[in-house]
Amino acid sequence: MPFGCRPLQPTSIIVKGLRTLVSSPSKMALHPRQDGAKLIFAPGGPAMSASQGAPGQAAQFLKAEQLGGLRRKDLDPLSPITQFHSWYSVASQPEAGIAHPETCTLSTAQLPSGRVSARMVYLKELDSQGFVIYSNFGTSGKARDLFGTADGSSTGNPWASLVFWWEPLERQVRVEGRAMRLTTEESQKYYDTRARGSRIGAWASRQSAVLRPTENGDEDDGRKMLDNWVKETEARFDGVEKIPVPDYWGGLRIIPERVEFWQGRQNRLHDRFVYDRVHHDGEEGAEGEAKWTLERVSP
């Protein structure tokens, strides 16, 4: 049983019947470029049925509506980790129609400017402590934001967020917390599962560095510089099966302080439930277990 949690139900009452309710697709309206005209304007697309609203209105979230929406009793009362695992289990089923439910947006903020960056990443691990992704933390923008820079232009901000969007289920999960690097030993375990080309790529790529043309002409826009780095790395590890994980590459665990579970509802009156970690004089609780409040919040 993962993370010492209680057995999980494959579906909750709110999930029953989700796959039988299908909402009509909607499209953004594209406009020919004109002075002062909008290039994209929503809503748009074909007229919808009377039950879905007037023509030109945005599509409604209806999959949970007839089931009474998401209620407190549908959620785990003690742990957002357990609740996330339950929802993820549903999103991972083939009939859910979600190709990569592990896909999420990682957002970080640079200090002192406060400038925010976001990028798509894959969740690779979930445990009792939090959510783990893997990436380059040497030259990347996320490394600058999270850990600062040697020249002091960024002082480092450990706060980060993850957002999961599972459109076929009309569900969203938002995670806010502090980021912490995994140990080299932990990162090596995952690194060893990657394809050899991906392990080579982790060494070769100087993430976010500018790639400049090495030849004149339009055939090289900088890609050849990257290709040369890959060739150099392949030669370096020629015949080496156990490639060590780079010291700047590895796992990052987001230790949650707040987790929101969002279920789409009609008229944008969505169901939102928020878990907030409880701190008592810096202590988590008995035997180090995290304690959480659970509240419904207004859409």
Side-chain angles (χ1 to χ4, degrees):
M1 189 183 305
F3 344 123
C5 299
R6 300 192 307 278
L8 297 172
Q9 297 298 324
T11 57
S12 65
I13 188 172
I14 199 64
V15 179
K16 294 178 182 178
L18 280 180
R19 303 182 188 98
T20 63
L21 297 173
V22 180
S23 59
S24 299
S26 63
K27 295 182 180 180
M28 302 277 279
L30 302 180
H31 296 260
R33 187 181 182 95
Q34 299 175 6
D35 291 342
K38 294 180 175 63
L39 301 181
I40 298 176
F41 183 76
M48 295 181 287
S49 66
S51 64
Q52 292 177 302
Q57 293 180 344
Q60 295 282 348
F61 292 112
L62 300 174
K63 292 188 176 183
E65 193 66 34
Q66 297 176 22
L67 304 175
L70 181 66
R71 292 160 291 186
R72 181 186 294 267
K73 67 180 182 179
D74 300 318
L75 302 171
D76 187 279
L78 301 178
S79 170
I81 298 292
T82 305
Q83 183 57 46
F84 181 87
H85 186 235
S86 179
W87 270 24
Y88 187 87
S89 298
V90 174
S92 299
Q93 297 300 314
E95 54 267 34
I98 304 172
H100 298 285
E102 71 274 22
T103 304
C104 55
T105 300
L106 169 66
S107 296
T108 56
Q110 185 179 0
L111 293 179
S113 69
R115 185 170 178 171
V116 178
S117 298
R119 71 289 287 164
M120 304 303 294
V121 297
Y122 283 144
L123 175 72
K124 289 298 183 179
E125 298 168 16
L126 176 71
D127 58 27
S128 61
Q129 292 181 277
F131 303 76
V132 178
I133 67 164
Y134 286 85
S135 187
N136 178 306
F137 296 104
T139 60
S140 65
K142 65 181 78 69
R144 173 205 62 211
D145 294 352
L146 293 169
F147 307 116
T149 55
D151 63 6
S153 60
S154 179
T155 57
N157 174 18
W159 287 95
S161 70
L162 298 172
V163 179
F164 297 83
W165 170 235
W166 298 320
E167 184 173 4
L169 299 177
E170 297 177 349
R171 285 178 168 176
Q172 176 183 205
V173 181
R174 299 170 58 204
V175 179
E176 299 175 11
R178 291 180 178 270
M180 180 180 295
R181 285 285 304 272
L182 268 61
T183 65
T184 300
E185 291 73 21
E186 291 175 298
S187 295
Q188 185 72 56
K189 289 180 181 179
Y190 168 72
Y191 186 74
D192 289 342
T193 69
R194 290 165 61 92
R196 182 179 179 84
S198 295
R199 285 178 282 158
I200 291 292
W203 277 101
S205 175
R206 304 165 195 178
Q207 195 172 97
S208 299
V210 175
L211 296 172
R212 303 190 183 282
T214 59
E215 300 177 1
N216 295 325
D218 296 333
E219 295 301 316
D220 181 15
D221 59 6
R223 179 74 189 193
K224 287 188 177 180
M225 177 178 281
L226 177 60
D227 292 341
N228 289 337
W229 290 346
V230 172
K231 291 177 182 178
E232 292 169 1
T233 305
E234 288 175 337
R236 175 182 177 182
F237 292 109
D238 184 33
V240 178
E241 178 58 32
K242 181 74 172 183
I243 301 175
V245 63
D247 59 2
Y248 53 81
W249 193 97
L252 184 81
R253 177 181 284 112
I254 309 298
I255 302 171
E257 288 284 332
R258 165 174 279 215
V259 184
E260 177 184 317
F261 292 86
W262 181 102
Q263 178 72 63
R265 294 290 299 275
Q266 192 171 17
N267 298 323
R268 302 303 186 262
L269 297 175
H270 313 303
D271 290 322
R272 298 174 60 197
F273 285 91
V274 174
Y275 292 82
D276 279 305
R277 187 185 292 265
V278 177
H279 294 277
H280 295 292
D281 298 326
E283 297 183 0
E284 290 291 281
E287 300 179 355
E289 293 183 0
K291 302 296 183 182
W292 301 87
T293 61
L294 174 58
E295 301 290 353
R296 178 189 280 273
V297 298
S298 178

